[in-house]
Amino acid sequence: MVDSAQLLPVARAAQVLDISRERVRELVHGGRLDAIRIGRELLIDARSVEHRKSVVKPAAGRPLSARMAWGFLWSLSGCHPSWISPSERVRLKRYAQEREPAQWPRLLSGRARVYRVRMLAGPLARLREDPHAVVSGPAAAGHYGADLMAGGADEEFYVDAARFEDLARSRRLRLDSAEPNAVIRVPALSGVLRPPGSDGYAIPAAVAADLLDAGDERSVLAAQQLLTRLGEVHKLGG
């Protein structure tokens, strides 16, 4: 639950992040800062502000585009991203060599919009079996053998944009809840959730990226375990 002590006015969030108020609103709209609206006032979750400042650490240079981000994640997961050209593949190899996993939260921030939502038990259970969604977060990390138990953590999914819109339109999820119980990431590129041969879990490198986004020590260690299982962290497959 988010209490009033954890909420910041837009102006204060802008000051903490050293950006404009307009940029704060853009980050909220893009799912990169958590916020709720009370009456007509937009209030920013102080924890997401701190997370962006200390974990994402925005720096000079643009993050990868959605095409390149998903090409990066597919390649690291042993899949073949058909939408990536040979020259782009060379660029991805260079990124893999030059970018440490600690840089992933910024590098891959364009892969999806992030929503923290509230769902009832029934719709939440059906989402686990939905062909237009895949499980991520601690549950997926455990599925791939990382030492991280889901425990009481919010459930995490990637959900196709059309399915997410359907869930929101039918009110099977609440976007404005002060007590979210699920994290949903909506990919900014279609057709990337289920490579050939995959199951109902997000691809391993995407799970690792989500754990790195979390930023806590246990999640980061689990991400490193996943990347080790995938092979050499700084090399992409041929």
Side-chain angles (χ1 to χ4, degrees), residues 60-78:
R62 289 181 176 273
L64 290 177
S65 67
R67 289 181 66 259
M68 293 292 280
W70 282 104
F72 184 89
L73 294 172
W74 270 48
S75 296
L76 283 177
S77 297

Side-chain angles (χ1 to χ4, degrees), residues 56-64 99 102-110:
V56 178
K57 300 177 182 177
R62 289 181 176 273
L64 290 177
R99 303 299 198 275
Q103 296 176 287
W104 282 26
R106 183 184 67 84
L107 184 71
L108 301 174
S109 60

Side-chain angles (χ1 to χ4, degrees), residues 207-226:
V207 176
D210 297 343
L211 295 173
L212 290 167
D213 281 355
D216 62 276
E217 183 177 358
R218 292 183 67 247
S219 295
V220 170
L221 287 174
Q224 292 171 343
Q225 289 175 4
L226 284 181

Side-chain angles (χ1 to χ4, degrees), residues 106-158:
R106 183 184 67 84
L107 184 71
L108 301 174
S109 60
R111 72 188 182 278
R113 294 180 64 177
V114 184
Y115 300 89
R116 285 166 176 78
V117 305
R118 183 79 186 176
M119 299 184 70
L120 295 176
L124 193 57
R126 289 192 289 274
L127 191 58
R128 300 181 198 116
E129 308 299 327
D130 194 314
H132 302 285
V134 290
V135 175
S136 189
H143 171 75
Y144 288 121
D147 185 17
L148 182 66
M149 300 299 294
D154 292 345
E155 296 196 52
E156 298 189 31
F157 303 88
Y158 280 92

Side-chain angles (χ1 to χ4, degrees), residues 19-182:
I19 57 178
S20 69
R21 300 181 190 186
E22 291 73 18
R23 180 57 179 157
V24 169
R25 294 187 179 93
E26 288 175 359
L27 292 170
V28 170
H29 181 71
R32 298 179 188 178
L33 285 177
D34 299 334
I36 62 173
R37 191 172 292 278
I38 299 179
R40 299 180 62 181
E41 186 175 11
L42 183 67
L43 296 172
I44 317 301
D45 186 343
R47 292 170 299 185
S48 73
V49 172
E50 180 58 30
H51 180 272
R52 183 167 181 81
K53 183 176 180 180
S54 61
V55 177
V56 178
K57 300 177 182 177
R62 289 181 176 273
L64 290 177
S65 67
R67 289 181 66 259
M68 293 292 280
W70 282 104
F72 184 89
L73 294 172
W74 270 48
S75 296
L76 283 177
S77 297
C79 307
H80 176 67
S82 60
W83 63 91
I84 296 296
S85 69
S87 62
E88 288 173 326
R89 195 167 186 82
V90 171
R91 285 177 58 197
L92 289 179
K93 287 183 178 180
R94 186 174 70 250
Y95 276 119
Q97 293 165 354
E98 296 174 352
R99 303 299 198 275
E100 296 290 337
Q103 296 176 287
W104 282 26
R106 183 184 67 84
L107 184 71
L108 301 174
S109 60
R111 72 188 182 278
R113 294 180 64 177
V114 184
Y115 300 89
R116 285 166 176 78
V117 305
R118 183 79 186 176
M119 299 184 70
L120 295 176
L124 193 57
R126 289 192 289 274
L127 191 58
R128 300 181 198 116
E129 308 299 327
D130 194 314
H132 302 285
V134 290
V135 175
S136 189
H143 171 75
Y144 288 121
D147 185 17
L148 182 66
M149 300 299 294
D154 292 345
E155 296 196 52
E156 298 189 31
F157 303 88
Y158 280 92
V159 179
D160 284 339
R163 175 65 76 209
F164 179 79
E165 291 173 5
D166 176 62
L167 291 169
R169 187 167 49 247
S170 63
R171 298 187 179 181
R172 280 173 281 176
L173 57 80
R174 287 186 55 190
L175 294 169
D176 58 350
S177 175
E179 299 183 2
N181 63 347

